[in-house]
Amino acid sequence: MARVGIGLPAAIPGAAPGQIVEWARRSEAAGFASLAALDRLVYDNYEPLVALGAAAAVTERIGLGSYVLLAPNRGPSALLASQAATLDRLSGGRFTLGLGVGTRRDDYRAAGADFRTRGRRLDEVLAELQETWAGPPGPGRVGPAPSNGRPRIMLGGRSAPALDRVGRFGDGWIAGSTGFFAEGAAAVRAAWRRHGRDGAPRLMAVAYFALGDDGPRYAREYLTDYYAFVGAGAAAVADSALTTPGAVRDTVAAMGEAGCDELVLFPCRAEPGQVDLLAAALG
């Protein structure tokens, strides 16, 4: 079976600060592999690196990941390098930096960034991050040195350039849906070989869950709102949410058989009791 990570409810409108912190504590106590945060700018959500910093402060062992941060609309690479290295150091090396380009034009407009060149900009950011982290200590250094040279980098996306980018820059790939995992994983492995990389890429995927009473209703209300920008496709995303313990177990088992190293399950409700329900579903 794939390892299971859990998303923070930081992208759920109205989530209270206390819920974020309690969610992190319960997730570590339940033994989940990681805590993750989504990135979006034009929405009622907490900034993901800040939310992960709050989670880092109340946990000691659980991994932390940004799956995925929209790097091209985050301004200078030096600032992102310093933020990521700071979170990595504060968490004792537990942070994985997940990066992608996203598909929402409004996020780019709000940041004053160019949506059309976002893929090329991500390539530039990745190169600039490596250069910044490798800088020598002393005067002129940008930010702290990461715990282990640099955070692990996971890359998202499903286009041919995005999948090839994993072979050039990443430590692995994270699929935005379980349905595309097998096809994308095969392309990533091919890119890994094509670029002469040693070992194998880390392969991850994300899905959504809402358990307990009215789980399907919460999933539909949240996901059709969060994905409203895709129009009618939002309903299909909502229908894919895991709303029963059996669906959770079956999906985790199937993803493990497909070669997924870790499946990250993002919530559709902010109540920390969802952590307990997910842990119970996994047995």
Side-chain angles (χ1 to χ4, degrees):
M1 292 178 67
R3 299 179 73 198
V4 178
I6 186 170
L8 285 167
I12 298 177
Q19 290 178 315
I20 303 293
V21 171
E22 178 61 19
W23 189 287
R25 290 193 178 107
R26 291 195 193 192
S27 296
E28 178 164 89
F32 287 103
S34 65
L35 274 167
L38 297 164
D39 190 16
R40 190 163 177 182
L41 188 56
V42 185
Y43 197 68
D44 179 14
N45 60 280
Y46 293 104
E47 198 286 323
L49 294 180
V50 175
L52 288 169
V58 298
T59 58
E60 297 178 351
R61 301 176 304 279
I62 193 168
L64 305 167
S66 58
Y67 301 138
V68 293
L69 210 65
L70 305 182
N73 73 355
R74 287 197 157 249
S77 300
L79 178 58
L80 177 58
S82 179
Q83 291 170 326
T86 297
L87 183 50
D88 186 64
R89 285 284 292 275
L90 289 175
S91 66
R94 291 184 283 144
F95 177 55
T96 296
L97 179 61
L99 300 174
V101 299
T103 58
R104 293 181 290 268
R105 293 178 181 270
D106 55 355
D107 285 339
Y108 282 81
R109 283 195 297 269
D114 189 345
F115 182 81
R116 296 169 300 175
T117 61
R118 65 197 190 282
R120 182 167 71 248
R121 178 56 187 151
L122 178 54
D123 288 343
E124 295 171 350
V125 168
L126 287 163
E128 291 162 4
L129 288 175
Q130 305 282 10
E131 182 179 355
T132 301
W133 290 328
R141 178 177 179 87
V142 173
S147 298
N148 300 302
R150 65 169 178 80
R152 180 161 56 185
I153 295 176
M154 299 293 292
L155 296 173
R158 58 186 296 162
S159 68
L163 298 171
D164 183 72
R165 185 178 292 120
V166 180
R168 290 186 291 130
F169 291 111
D171 297 306
W173 173 66
I174 183 160
S177 68
T178 56
F180 183 69
F181 177 81
E183 179 182 347
V188 166
R189 293 188 187 101
W192 199 264
R193 295 190 297 269
R194 187 165 57 251
H195 291 284
R197 300 288 298 276
D198 293 330
R202 179 171 176 77
L203 300 172
M204 301 175 65
V206 302
Y208 290 95
F209 79 96
L211 296 173
D213 294 341
D214 292 329
R217 178 174 65 84
Y218 279 97
R220 179 164 293 276
E221 289 177 355
Y222 170 62
L223 293 172
T224 53
D225 181 59
Y226 190 83
Y227 285 96
F229 69 96
V230 302
V237 178
D239 290 341
S240 72
L242 309 178
T243 58
T244 67
V248 169
R249 289 190 294 269
D250 290 347
T251 300
V252 172
M255 293 304 293
E257 292 175 1
C260 182
D261 296 304
E262 183 176 337
L263 177 64
V264 180
L265 299 177
F266 280 96
C268 301
R269 299 178 65 177
E271 292 81 2
Q274 288 289 297
V275 177
D276 306 324
L277 290 173
L278 184 59
L282 295 167

